[in-house]
Amino acid sequence: MWQSYSNGLLVAIGLIMAIGTQNVFVLAQSLRREHHLQVALLCMLCDALLVSAGVFGLAAALSQSPLLLGIARWGGAAFLLWYASQALLRAWRPQALNASGQHVPRSLRRVLLATLAVTLLNPHVYLDTVLLIGSLGAQQPAPGAYALGAASASLIWFFALALGAAWLAPWLARPATWRLIDLGVAAMMLAIALQLLLDH
């Protein structure tokens, strides 16, 4: 159970830590102190629901088909290896997270609608949560623990951004910080890909 939980935690944290529109949006809201806790909670809930749909929906399908299970295993491992290589490339040329800019205060409703748009209208979120995290989770000995681990990763990351934005912003603006993050992400992805291939 703990192995499945830690796999879910590591895969999810590796995916959501990459610089992307959702992270920039959450950080910007947090720096402005504009409904930032609600934004973080909504992002975490969306991730948890999408991951659960992927894990349990794909788990049922994969359990009925050894062929699909093999495709998911090799495809998942290939994606993890590719993702690790992309993280290494980003570490070679690190970027920085920038959430500066002018801003007009918005209502909670408008902010939450914008959060849903940033989260659910991004096609990568479905690739990451439903397909990749879901297919890997469907192969775990304890899929429920894996989904809980992935949800924990979202909870930790988004609330870290929301609560620590003022402290984190100077660090996230440094390319060297993202170099270290990407090296860590690459190591996590490689380790889980190898485990996925060696355990079957």
Side-chain angles (χ1 to χ4, degrees):
M1 182 180 77
W2 287 111
Q3 183 66 53
S4 296
Y5 177 87
S6 63
N7 282 349
L9 181 72
L10 292 175
V11 168
I13 202 74
L15 288 171
I16 65 175
M17 283 173 68
I19 295 177
T21 55
Q22 191 181 46
N23 284 336
V24 171
F25 181 82
V26 174
L27 184 63
Q29 293 303 119
S30 302
L31 289 172
R32 296 167 187 147
R33 290 294 186 257
E34 183 186 59
H35 312 300
H36 55 293
L37 295 178
Q38 295 93 325
V39 166
L41 179 61
L42 184 56
C43 287
M44 186 274 294
L45 289 174
C46 287
D47 277 4
L49 289 173
L50 290 169
V51 166
S52 296
V55 169
F56 297 110
L58 286 172
L62 294 177
S63 65
Q64 304 298 321
S65 173
L67 175 62
L68 285 178
L69 184 61
I71 292 172
R73 175 166 58 95
W74 288 100
F79 186 90
L80 288 172
L81 292 171
W82 174 82
Y83 197 90
S85 71
Q86 295 302 300
L88 289 173
L89 287 175
R90 288 195 305 269
W92 185 257
R93 294 180 179 174
Q95 304 176 56
L97 196 59
N98 184 359
S100 61
Q102 298 298 317
H103 171 68
V104 177
R106 294 176 293 176
S107 67
L108 175 61
R109 180 176 177 274
R110 288 190 63 191
V111 168
L112 293 182
L113 287 175
T115 305
L116 287 173
V118 166
T119 301
L120 301 178
L121 297 181
N122 178 5
H124 288 115
V125 74
Y126 300 101
L127 175 65
D128 290 348
T129 57
V130 178
L131 294 178
L132 175 61
I133 297 177
S135 64
L136 293 173
Q139 303 170 66
Q140 297 295 314
Y146 177 93
L148 184 61
S152 298
S154 291
L155 178 71
I156 292 166
W157 177 251
F158 289 123
F159 277 93
L161 283 182
L163 296 172
W167 181 79
L168 289 171
W171 293 92
L172 296 178
R174 298 177 183 176
T177 300
W178 287 99
R179 175 175 282 124
L180 293 174
I181 288 174
D182 282 323
L183 288 173
V185 166
M188 286 188 290
M189 295 301 174
L190 287 170
I192 294 170
L194 289 175
Q195 178 196 330
L196 188 64
L197 293 173
L198 296 175
D199 282 355
H200 293 267

